[in-house]
Amino acid sequence: MEYRRLGSTGLKVSALSYGAWVTFGRQVGRSQARELIALAYDHGINFFDNAETYNAGEAERLMGDVIADLRLPRDAYCVSSKVYFGAVENPKPTQRGLSRKHVFDACHQALERLRVDYLDMYFCHRPDPDTPVAETVAAMDTLVRQGKVLYWGTSEWPAELIEEAHRVAREGQLTAPSMEQPQYNLLHRERVEQEYAPLYERYGMGTTIWSPLASGLLTGKYNDGVPEDSRLGHPDYAWLREALLENDGARLRTVRALAPIADDLGIPMSRLALAWCLKHPHVSAVILGASKNAQLEENLKAIDAVALLDDAVMQRIDLALG
Ligand code: NDP
Protein backbone atom coordinates (compact mmCIF):
# COMPACT_ATOMS: atom_id res chain seq x y z
CA MET A 1 0.00 0.00 0.00
CA GLU A 2 1.05 3.55 -0.61
CA TYR A 3 0.33 6.22 2.01
CA ARG A 4 -0.23 9.87 1.19
CA ARG A 5 -0.37 12.95 3.35
CA LEU A 6 -3.84 14.39 3.72
CA GLY A 7 -2.99 17.68 2.00
CA SER A 8 -0.51 19.61 4.14
CA THR A 9 -1.48 17.80 7.37
CA GLY A 10 0.73 15.16 8.97
CA LEU A 11 -1.95 12.48 8.64
CA LYS A 12 -0.97 9.61 6.35
CA VAL A 13 -3.92 7.91 4.71
CA SER A 14 -3.83 4.87 2.46
CA ALA A 15 -3.98 5.96 -1.19
CA LEU A 16 -6.72 3.38 -1.61
CA SER A 17 -9.25 3.63 1.21
CA TYR A 18 -12.64 2.03 1.74
CA GLY A 19 -16.16 3.40 2.22
CA ALA A 20 -19.60 2.15 3.24
CA TRP A 21 -22.03 4.35 1.27
CA VAL A 22 -24.89 2.28 -0.27
CA THR A 23 -23.26 -1.07 0.40
CA PHE A 24 -23.11 -1.49 4.20
CA GLY A 25 -26.42 -2.52 5.70
CA ARG A 26 -28.16 -3.18 2.37
CA GLN A 27 -26.02 -5.01 -0.19
CA VAL A 28 -23.52 -6.09 2.46
CA GLY A 29 -24.53 -7.78 5.74
CA ARG A 30 -22.49 -8.24 8.89
CA SER A 31 -20.34 -11.27 8.00
CA GLN A 32 -19.51 -9.86 4.56
CA ALA A 33 -18.74 -6.43 6.05
CA ARG A 34 -16.40 -8.09 8.54
CA GLU A 35 -14.58 -9.94 5.75
CA LEU A 36 -14.26 -6.81 3.62
CA ILE A 37 -12.91 -4.62 6.45
CA ALA A 38 -10.48 -7.38 7.51
CA LEU A 39 -9.31 -7.84 3.93
CA ALA A 40 -8.89 -4.09 3.46
CA TYR A 41 -6.98 -3.67 6.71
CA ASP A 42 -4.74 -6.67 6.01
CA HIS A 43 -3.82 -5.07 2.67
CA GLY A 44 -2.85 -1.81 4.33
CA ILE A 45 -6.06 0.23 3.98
CA ASN A 46 -6.11 2.50 7.03
CA PHE A 47 -9.02 4.85 6.29
CA PHE A 48 -12.65 3.79 6.49
CA ASP A 49 -15.21 6.33 5.30
CA ASN A 50 -18.76 6.72 6.55
CA ALA A 51 -21.57 9.25 7.10
CA GLU A 52 -24.54 9.77 9.39
CA THR A 53 -26.91 9.34 6.46
CA TYR A 54 -25.59 6.06 5.01
CA ASN A 55 -28.48 3.66 5.43
CA ALA A 56 -29.84 5.98 8.11
CA GLY A 57 -26.97 5.37 10.53
CA GLU A 58 -26.88 1.59 9.96
CA ALA A 59 -23.65 1.76 7.92
CA GLU A 60 -21.86 3.44 10.83
CA ARG A 61 -23.30 0.97 13.31
CA LEU A 62 -22.18 -1.98 11.18
CA MET A 63 -18.71 -0.58 10.60
CA GLY A 64 -18.25 0.22 14.31
CA ASP A 65 -19.42 -3.26 15.22
CA VAL A 66 -17.04 -5.13 12.90
CA ILE A 67 -14.04 -2.90 13.64
CA ALA A 68 -14.59 -3.53 17.36
CA ASP A 69 -15.01 -7.25 16.70
CA LEU A 70 -11.79 -7.35 14.68
CA ARG A 71 -10.02 -5.48 17.51
CA LEU A 72 -8.20 -3.18 15.12
CA PRO A 73 -5.77 -1.00 17.11
CA ARG A 74 -7.32 2.46 17.36
CA ASP A 75 -4.03 4.19 16.55
CA ALA A 76 -3.58 2.17 13.31
CA TYR A 77 -6.74 3.14 11.43
CA CYS A 78 -8.77 6.26 10.66
CA VAL A 79 -12.51 6.53 10.54
CA SER A 80 -14.65 9.37 9.22
CA SER A 81 -18.22 10.57 9.36
CA LYS A 82 -20.15 13.30 7.60
CA VAL A 83 -22.87 15.63 8.78
CA TYR A 84 -25.67 17.37 6.88
CA PHE A 85 -28.36 15.01 5.60
CA GLY A 86 -29.41 13.55 8.97
CA ALA A 87 -29.41 9.95 10.19
CA VAL A 88 -33.15 9.31 9.98
CA GLU A 89 -35.68 9.36 7.20
CA ASN A 90 -37.64 12.65 7.10
CA PRO A 91 -35.41 14.42 9.61
CA LYS A 92 -36.91 17.19 11.75
CA PRO A 93 -35.51 20.72 11.26
CA THR A 94 -32.88 20.27 13.99
CA GLN A 95 -31.86 16.82 12.73
CA ARG A 96 -30.13 17.95 9.55
CA GLY A 97 -27.97 20.76 8.21
CA LEU A 98 -24.81 22.40 9.52
CA SER A 99 -26.16 24.36 12.48
CA ARG A 100 -24.03 24.20 15.62
CA LYS A 101 -26.77 22.01 17.13
CA HIS A 102 -26.88 19.40 14.37
CA VAL A 103 -23.10 19.36 13.92
CA PHE A 104 -22.78 18.54 17.64
CA ASP A 105 -25.62 16.00 17.79
CA ALA A 106 -24.47 14.20 14.64
CA CYS A 107 -20.89 14.02 15.90
CA HIS A 108 -21.94 12.47 19.20
CA GLN A 109 -24.20 10.00 17.42
CA ALA A 110 -21.43 9.02 14.99
CA LEU A 111 -19.00 8.47 17.88
CA GLU A 112 -21.53 6.18 19.53
CA ARG A 113 -22.40 4.24 16.37
CA LEU A 114 -18.79 3.88 15.27
CA ARG A 115 -17.76 3.03 18.85
CA VAL A 116 -14.84 5.45 18.95
CA ASP A 117 -13.84 8.33 21.25
CA TYR A 118 -12.92 10.61 18.35
CA LEU A 119 -13.42 10.86 14.58
CA ASP A 120 -10.21 11.13 12.58
CA MET A 121 -12.01 13.05 9.85
CA TYR A 122 -15.35 14.83 9.96
CA PHE A 123 -16.90 16.25 6.79
CA CYS A 124 -19.65 18.79 6.14
CA HIS A 125 -21.46 16.59 3.60
CA ARG A 126 -22.88 19.50 1.55
CA PRO A 127 -23.09 23.28 2.00
CA ASP A 128 -26.04 24.44 4.11
CA PRO A 129 -27.68 27.59 2.70
CA ASP A 130 -29.54 28.10 6.01
CA THR A 131 -26.47 28.26 8.26
CA PRO A 132 -23.77 30.94 8.20
CA VAL A 133 -20.39 29.41 7.33
CA ALA A 134 -18.97 31.12 10.44
CA GLU A 135 -21.33 29.12 12.69
CA THR A 136 -20.25 25.81 11.16
CA VAL A 137 -16.54 26.68 11.28
CA ALA A 138 -16.90 27.61 14.98
CA ALA A 139 -18.78 24.37 15.72
CA MET A 140 -16.07 22.29 14.01
CA ASP A 141 -13.36 24.23 15.86
CA THR A 142 -15.04 23.45 19.18
CA LEU A 143 -15.21 19.72 18.37
CA VAL A 144 -11.52 19.77 17.44
CA ARG A 145 -10.62 21.55 20.71
CA GLN A 146 -12.73 19.03 22.63
CA GLY A 147 -10.73 16.20 21.06
CA LYS A 148 -13.79 14.68 19.38
CA VAL A 149 -12.57 15.43 15.85
CA LEU A 150 -8.98 15.52 14.58
CA TYR A 151 -9.39 16.96 11.06
CA TRP A 152 -12.50 18.55 9.60
CA GLY A 153 -13.36 19.19 6.00
CA THR A 154 -16.07 19.65 3.42
CA SER A 155 -17.71 17.52 0.74
CA GLU A 156 -18.87 19.01 -2.56
CA TRP A 157 -18.55 22.61 -1.40
CA PRO A 158 -18.01 25.23 -4.10
CA ALA A 159 -14.46 26.63 -4.04
CA GLU A 160 -15.68 30.07 -3.00
CA LEU A 161 -17.36 28.67 0.13
CA ILE A 162 -14.20 26.77 1.08
CA GLU A 163 -12.33 30.07 0.69
CA GLU A 164 -14.87 31.72 2.99
CA ALA A 165 -14.40 28.99 5.61
CA HIS A 166 -10.65 29.64 5.52
CA ARG A 167 -11.14 33.39 5.85
CA VAL A 168 -13.46 32.96 8.85
CA ALA A 169 -11.02 30.53 10.47
CA ARG A 170 -8.04 32.82 9.90
CA GLU A 171 -9.81 35.92 11.25
CA GLY A 172 -11.22 34.11 14.27
CA GLN A 173 -8.10 32.00 14.90
CA LEU A 174 -10.24 28.89 14.50
CA THR A 175 -9.33 25.50 13.05
CA ALA A 176 -9.51 25.65 9.25
CA PRO A 177 -10.75 22.78 7.05
CA SER A 178 -8.02 20.37 5.95
CA MET A 179 -9.70 18.36 3.20
CA GLU A 180 -12.55 18.12 0.73
CA GLN A 181 -14.39 14.99 -0.44
CA PRO A 182 -15.43 15.50 -4.08
CA GLN A 183 -16.54 13.04 -6.72
CA TYR A 184 -13.67 12.33 -9.09
CA ASN A 185 -13.47 9.79 -11.89
CA LEU A 186 -12.94 9.53 -15.64
CA LEU A 187 -16.51 10.73 -16.20
CA HIS A 188 -16.46 13.59 -13.67
CA ARG A 189 -13.34 15.75 -13.64
CA GLU A 190 -14.00 19.46 -13.60
CA ARG A 191 -14.26 20.33 -9.92
CA VAL A 192 -11.09 18.50 -8.84
CA GLU A 193 -9.02 19.57 -11.85
CA GLN A 194 -10.25 23.11 -12.41
CA GLU A 195 -12.46 24.63 -9.74
CA TYR A 196 -10.28 23.47 -6.84
CA ALA A 197 -6.92 23.99 -8.59
CA PRO A 198 -6.02 27.21 -6.70
CA LEU A 199 -6.94 25.70 -3.31
CA TYR A 200 -4.33 22.94 -3.20
CA GLU A 201 -1.34 25.27 -2.90
CA ARG A 202 -3.16 28.13 -1.17
CA TYR A 203 -4.55 26.07 1.71
CA GLY A 204 -2.74 22.73 1.47
CA MET A 205 -6.13 21.13 0.84
CA GLY A 206 -6.21 17.34 0.63
CA THR A 207 -8.90 15.36 -1.20
CA THR A 208 -10.47 11.98 -0.39
CA ILE A 209 -12.30 11.33 -3.63
CA TRP A 210 -15.56 9.38 -4.03
CA SER A 211 -17.05 7.07 -6.68
CA PRO A 212 -13.76 6.49 -8.52
CA LEU A 213 -15.56 3.89 -10.65
CA ALA A 214 -18.75 5.97 -11.04
CA SER A 215 -20.64 3.37 -8.97
CA GLY A 216 -19.23 0.57 -11.14
CA LEU A 217 -19.91 2.09 -14.60
CA LEU A 218 -16.18 2.34 -15.19
CA THR A 219 -15.70 -1.40 -14.75
CA GLY A 220 -17.62 -1.93 -18.02
CA LYS A 221 -20.09 -4.24 -16.22
CA TYR A 222 -23.07 -2.13 -17.35
CA ASN A 223 -22.07 -1.99 -21.03
CA ASP A 224 -24.52 -4.70 -22.04
CA GLY A 225 -27.31 -4.17 -19.51
CA VAL A 226 -27.71 -4.07 -15.73
CA PRO A 227 -26.65 -7.27 -13.92
CA GLU A 228 -29.14 -8.29 -11.25
CA ASP A 229 -26.59 -8.67 -8.45
CA SER A 230 -25.09 -5.22 -9.00
CA ARG A 231 -25.58 -1.85 -7.30
CA LEU A 232 -27.62 -0.44 -10.17
CA GLY A 233 -29.66 -3.66 -10.33
CA HIS A 234 -30.68 -3.35 -6.66
CA PRO A 235 -34.36 -2.36 -6.32
CA ASP A 236 -33.54 0.28 -3.68
CA TYR A 237 -31.16 2.08 -6.03
CA ALA A 238 -33.42 2.80 -9.01
CA TRP A 239 -32.73 6.52 -8.39
CA LEU A 240 -29.01 5.94 -8.84
CA ARG A 241 -29.56 3.77 -11.93
CA GLU A 242 -31.67 6.54 -13.48
CA ALA A 243 -29.15 9.25 -12.56
CA LEU A 244 -26.21 7.37 -14.05
CA LEU A 245 -27.76 5.83 -17.12
CA GLU A 246 -30.18 8.63 -18.03
CA ASN A 247 -28.19 10.60 -20.60
CA ASP A 248 -28.86 8.52 -23.74
CA GLY A 249 -26.04 6.15 -22.94
CA ALA A 250 -23.39 8.90 -23.31
CA ARG A 251 -21.54 7.69 -20.22
CA LEU A 252 -21.54 4.10 -21.45
CA ARG A 253 -20.28 5.21 -24.85
CA THR A 254 -17.34 6.86 -23.12
CA VAL A 255 -16.65 3.73 -21.09
CA ARG A 256 -16.66 1.68 -24.31
CA ALA A 257 -14.26 4.15 -25.93
CA LEU A 258 -11.82 3.70 -23.04
CA ALA A 259 -11.90 -0.10 -23.11
CA PRO A 260 -9.28 -0.59 -25.89
CA ILE A 261 -6.77 1.46 -23.86
CA ALA A 262 -7.15 -0.91 -20.90
CA ASP A 263 -6.94 -3.89 -23.29
CA ASP A 264 -3.69 -2.61 -24.82
CA LEU A 265 -2.21 -2.22 -21.33
CA GLY A 266 -3.37 -5.74 -20.46
CA ILE A 267 -5.39 -4.60 -17.44
CA PRO A 268 -9.11 -4.56 -16.63
CA MET A 269 -11.00 -1.32 -17.26
CA SER A 270 -11.63 -0.89 -13.50
CA ARG A 271 -7.89 -0.92 -12.79
CA LEU A 272 -7.23 1.70 -15.45
CA ALA A 273 -9.97 3.93 -13.99
CA LEU A 274 -8.62 3.67 -10.43
CA ALA A 275 -4.99 4.16 -11.48
CA TRP A 276 -6.04 7.29 -13.38
CA CYS A 277 -7.56 8.74 -10.19
CA LEU A 278 -4.45 7.83 -8.18
CA LYS A 279 -2.27 9.67 -10.68
CA HIS A 280 -3.73 13.07 -9.82
CA PRO A 281 -1.14 14.75 -7.55
CA HIS A 282 -3.72 16.29 -5.22
CA VAL A 283 -5.72 13.16 -4.58
CA SER A 284 -4.85 12.05 -1.04
CA ALA A 285 -7.11 8.99 -0.98
CA VAL A 286 -9.25 7.18 -3.55
CA ILE A 287 -12.18 5.74 -1.62
CA LEU A 288 -13.17 2.32 -2.92
CA GLY A 289 -16.68 0.94 -2.50
CA ALA A 290 -16.42 -2.79 -3.20
CA SER A 291 -19.29 -5.09 -2.21
CA LYS A 292 -17.39 -8.36 -2.79
CA ASN A 293 -13.95 -9.61 -1.71
CA ALA A 294 -12.86 -10.31 -5.28
CA GLN A 295 -13.62 -6.70 -6.28
CA LEU A 296 -11.53 -5.34 -3.44
CA GLU A 297 -8.66 -7.71 -4.23
CA GLU A 298 -8.73 -6.63 -7.86
CA ASN A 299 -8.99 -2.94 -7.05
CA LEU A 300 -5.95 -3.04 -4.77
CA LYS A 301 -3.84 -3.83 -7.85
CA ALA A 302 -4.48 -0.30 -9.15
CA ILE A 303 -1.52 1.07 -7.17
CA ASP A 304 0.92 -0.85 -9.39
CA ALA A 305 -0.90 0.18 -12.57
CA VAL A 306 -0.19 3.91 -12.07
CA ALA A 307 3.28 3.40 -13.56
CA LEU A 308 1.66 2.25 -16.82
CA LEU A 309 -0.03 5.61 -17.32
CA ASP A 310 2.70 7.53 -19.13
CA ASP A 311 2.12 10.74 -21.09
CA ALA A 312 1.11 8.86 -24.25
CA VAL A 313 -1.49 6.79 -22.40
CA MET A 314 -2.85 9.88 -20.60
CA GLN A 315 -3.21 11.63 -23.96
CA ARG A 316 -5.04 8.65 -25.40
CA ILE A 317 -7.40 8.73 -22.43
CA ASP A 318 -8.07 12.46 -22.89
CA LEU A 319 -8.80 11.85 -26.55
CA ALA A 320 -11.23 9.02 -25.74
CA LEU A 321 -12.96 11.27 -23.21
CA GLY A 322 -13.41 13.89 -25.91
P1 NDP B 1 -17.12 3.17 -6.76
O1 NDP B 1 -17.37 4.19 -7.80
O2 NDP B 1 -15.78 2.52 -6.77
O3 NDP B 1 -18.27 2.09 -6.85
C1 NDP B 1 -18.22 0.95 -6.04
C2 NDP B 1 -19.09 -0.13 -6.62
O4 NDP B 1 -18.63 -0.53 -7.91
C3 NDP B 1 -19.04 -1.39 -5.78
O5 NDP B 1 -19.87 -1.36 -4.68
C4 NDP B 1 -19.34 -2.45 -6.79
O6 NDP B 1 -20.75 -2.47 -6.97
C5 NDP B 1 -18.69 -1.93 -8.04
N1 NDP B 1 -17.31 -2.44 -8.20
C6 NDP B 1 -16.21 -2.04 -7.51
N2 NDP B 1 -15.12 -2.69 -7.93
C7 NDP B 1 -15.52 -3.53 -8.90
C8 NDP B 1 -14.85 -4.46 -9.72
N3 NDP B 1 -13.53 -4.64 -9.63
N4 NDP B 1 -15.58 -5.16 -10.62
C9 NDP B 1 -16.91 -4.97 -10.74
N5 NDP B 1 -17.61 -4.11 -9.98
C10 NDP B 1 -16.92 -3.38 -9.07
O7 NDP B 1 -17.24 3.82 -5.30
P2 NDP B 1 -18.52 4.29 -4.47
O8 NDP B 1 -19.52 4.92 -5.35
O9 NDP B 1 -18.96 3.19 -3.58
O10 NDP B 1 -17.85 5.43 -3.59
C11 NDP B 1 -16.80 5.06 -2.70
C12 NDP B 1 -17.03 5.69 -1.35
O11 NDP B 1 -17.04 7.12 -1.45
C13 NDP B 1 -18.37 5.38 -0.68
O12 NDP B 1 -18.41 4.11 -0.07
C14 NDP B 1 -18.45 6.50 0.33
O13 NDP B 1 -17.65 6.20 1.45
C15 NDP B 1 -17.87 7.67 -0.44
N6 NDP B 1 -18.92 8.50 -1.05
C16 NDP B 1 -19.00 9.81 -0.66
C17 NDP B 1 -19.95 10.64 -1.18
C18 NDP B 1 -19.99 12.06 -0.74
O14 NDP B 1 -20.95 12.77 -1.07
N7 NDP B 1 -19.03 12.53 0.03
C19 NDP B 1 -20.95 10.18 -2.17
C20 NDP B 1 -20.76 8.78 -2.54
C21 NDP B 1 -19.78 8.00 -2.01
P3 NDP B 1 -21.69 -3.75 -7.04
O15 NDP B 1 -20.95 -4.99 -6.72
O16 NDP B 1 -22.72 -3.49 -6.07
O17 NDP B 1 -22.23 -3.69 -8.41
Side-chain angles (χ1 to χ4, degrees):
M1 180 54 68
E2 176 194 338
Y3 297 90
R4 297 182 177 181
R5 283 175 64 189
L6 181 67
S8 60
T9 77
L11 187 68
K12 296 210 171 91
V13 286
S14 48
L16 291 174
S17 295
Y18 183 59
W21 184 28
V22 285
T23 49
F24 273 38
R26 278 219 198 157
Q27 285 179 281
V28 171
R30 189 184 187 283
S31 68
Q32 180 59 9
R34 191 180 187 283
E35 276 187 36
L36 283 160
I37 297 262
L39 185 69
Y41 184 76
D42 288 347
H43 282 84
I45 287 182
N46 74 353
F47 165 31
F48 299 100
D49 185 62
N50 223 314
E52 57 166 352
T53 192
Y54 293 171
N55 283 316
E58 272 314 302
E60 287 186 339
R61 213 167 268 122
L62 186 51
M63 187 178 271
D65 182 23
V66 301
I67 287 178
D69 189 28
L70 289 164
R71 296 177 202 280
L72 303 189
R74 183 64 188 95
D75 54 356
Y77 73 89
C78 300
V79 75
S80 71
S81 184
K82 308 186 198 84
V83 53
Y84 175 74
F85 291 105
V88 289
E89 274 168 32
N90 303 318
K92 300 204 182 302
T94 56
Q95 291 180 312
R96 62 173 291 149
L98 296 179
S99 66
R100 178 180 281 271
K101 168 144 180 79
H102 186 58
V103 167
F104 269 50
D105 286 337
C107 178
H108 291 121
Q109 288 161 8
L111 293 173
E112 198 184 317
R113 287 191 292 258
L114 287 163
R115 302 200 203 177
V116 289
D117 298 325
Y118 64 90
L119 298 171
D120 299 274
M121 282 164 264
Y122 196 34
F123 295 87
C124 297
H125 212 156
R126 291 293 181 268
D128 179 1
D130 293 334
T131 303
V133 170
E135 178 175 334
T136 305
V137 173
M140 284 293 182
D141 175 73
T142 305
L143 289 172
V144 170
R145 286 174 203 260
Q146 289 177 342
K148 290 172 186 161
V149 168
L150 301 189
Y151 303 91
W152 80 272
T154 56
S155 179
E156 298 293 353
W157 277 31
E160 69 209 32
L161 220 53
I162 299 174
E163 300 246 22
E164 188 181 337
H166 278 275
R167 184 182 52 73
V168 165
R170 194 173 51 248
E171 287 171 7
Q173 296 196 318
L174 303 171
T175 314
S178 300
M179 69 284 178
E180 163 57 38
Q181 186 167 125
Q183 181 178 178
Y184 185 54
N185 56 54
L186 282 160
L187 303 170
H188 191 101
R189 304 173 61 171
E190 198 193 319
R191 183 158 255 179
V192 165
E193 295 182 7
Q194 290 168 38
E195 184 182 337
Y196 290 162
L199 307 187
Y200 303 124
E201 302 303 332
R202 197 173 296 158
Y203 304 113
M205 185 174 90
T207 63
T208 64
I209 62 119
W210 63 270
S211 280
L213 295 174
S215 274
L217 239 62
L218 284 161
T219 65
K221 70 201 265 185
Y222 295 107
N223 285 359
D224 303 311
V226 177
E228 233 173 69
D229 67 338
S230 65
R231 176 181 291 182
L232 300 190
H234 195 283
D236 291 348
Y237 301 136
W239 57 272
L240 190 58
R241 181 170 63 245
E242 276 157 30
L244 284 171
L245 300 177
E246 76 192 345
N247 59 350
D248 293 336
R251 286 194 184 88
L252 291 182
R253 274 200 298 282
T254 305
V255 176
R256 287 191 198 102
L258 289 162
I261 306 175
D263 287 348
D264 289 351
L265 294 173
I267 58 176
M269 182 60 218
S270 54
R271 210 183 300 171
L272 174 74
L274 294 171
W276 181 89
C277 294
L278 284 165
K279 198 168 163 73
H280 192 285
H282 295 293
V283 166
S284 321
V286 171
I287 310 181
L288 303 171
S291 69
K292 298 173 187 75
N293 297 6
Q295 292 173 350
L296 192 51
E297 277 161 356
E298 164 51 42
N299 295 348
L300 286 159
K301 296 178 188 159
I303 299 264
D304 294 332
V306 178
L308 300 174
L309 304 190
D310 58 20
D311 289 349
V313 174
M314 291 300 273
Q315 269 171 24
R316 240 186 115 185
I317 290 173
D318 281 341
L319 217 62
L321 293 174

